[in-house]
Amino acid sequence: MNTIELTSTQFRRNQKKYLDMAAEGMQIILLRGKELFCISNISKEADFDDETKKAIENSRQQFRDGECTVCSTDEELKAYFDSL
């Protein structure tokens, strides 16, 4: 799997580009200050342990239940990132 590292600002400016890259199998490492985040296409991952499967299902349920932040526009997304 190929990997690319970028800052949160770079990701914000080109979100579609990087998500498209993740969809094609590239792993995206997002740097925010001293924190690292991984963006990858989990639907293409072959195998997960039970704990990871549980965490993914929990996240999906939280989304279905509205227990998340949803950004529908670029402005909402920018405001959300700026608030972090």
Side-chain angles (χ1 to χ4, degrees), residues 42 45 47-60:
I42 61 172
E45 296 292 330
D47 203 12
F48 292 111
D49 60 34
D50 289 340
E51 184 178 341
T52 302
K53 288 177 185 177
K54 219 183 258 186
I56 291 170
E57 183 50 39
N58 184 46
S59 296
R60 288 178 173 162

Side-chain angles (χ1 to χ4, degrees), residues 2 10 23 36 45 48 60 72 75:
N2 293 326
Q10 291 170 309
L36 294 173
E45 296 292 330
F48 292 111
R60 288 178 173 162
S72 301
E75 293 78 21

Side-chain angles (χ1 to χ4, degrees), residues 58-70:
N58 184 46
S59 296
R60 288 178 173 162
Q61 188 61 48
Q62 287 175 327
F63 178 77
R64 288 189 291 267
D65 293 343
E67 299 171 2
C68 59
T69 301
V70 177

